[in-house]
Amino acid sequence: MSTSPTQRALALCRRYGWTAQVVERWNPHARVRQDLFGCIDLILLEAPGTGVVGVQVTSGSGHSARVRKSLEEPRVRQWLAAPARFEVWSFAKRGAAGKRKLWTLRAQAIELRDGLLQVVDIKKQPTG
């Protein structure tokens, strides 16, 4: 049985002791998955005082498309101004040629700086 990127993200959150909730929903009438505010799959609480993080989760091959989608979604700007944080996480098997491939997280934050949205590479690790 294959594990979805969202399941991998939830497992990562549990491992680090973070509280996470899936907010993406299946719309049976339209037969589509609908993200909160058009781009959030998970709400994440890392450590006290660090605020709320909205996370778009995808596969490794979909990462750049999800970043682009998030940059084009007007509610991301409102989310960041709330203030809250927003990140895009993707999971892909990576590793050196000839070596065992391991599931690897790629994480980027979208930040509002001087009125402009910017993409920043981040390393996810336990906080607190």
Side-chain angles (χ1 to χ4, degrees):
M1 177 170 77
S2 106
T3 303
S4 74
T6 300
Q7 290 169 323
R8 289 187 191 290
L10 289 171
L12 178 81
C13 292
R14 281 191 299 274
R15 187 168 60 235
Y16 286 160
W18 300 333
T19 301
Q21 180 66 47
V22 176
V23 293
E24 172 190 62
R25 297 285 180 240
W26 174 252
N27 180 335
H29 303 292
R31 297 178 194 235
V32 295
R33 293 208 169 276
Q34 292 181 315
D35 298 335
L36 178 68
F37 302 133
C39 61
I40 298 173
D41 296 321
L42 294 176
I43 297 290
L44 173 62
L45 306 173
E46 291 177 324
T50 61
V52 177
V53 185
V55 182
Q56 170 69 226
V57 184
T58 188
S59 63
S61 62
H63 189 97
S64 60
R66 292 304 188 275
V67 168
R68 201 167 33 256
K69 170 187 167 184
S70 300
L71 290 169
E72 293 170 358
E73 172 56 60
R75 292 171 288 187
V76 167
R77 184 178 292 275
Q78 290 176 286
W79 177 262
L80 293 170
R85 293 174 16 229
F86 182 83
E87 298 175 2
V88 177
W89 293 5
S90 62
F91 293 87
K93 281 195 169 184
R94 293 197 168 89
K99 300 287 182 179
R100 181 174 167 228
K101 307 301 185 235
L102 300 174
W103 284 105
T104 305
L105 168 67
R106 177 181 179 195
Q108 291 186 305
I110 295 179
E111 299 177 352
L112 188 58
R113 295 184 184 171
D114 299 322
L116 299 174
L117 294 177
Q118 295 186 352
V119 180
V120 179
D121 288 331
I122 55 174
K123 181 149 177 82
K124 294 305 292 180
Q125 50 190 312
T127 55

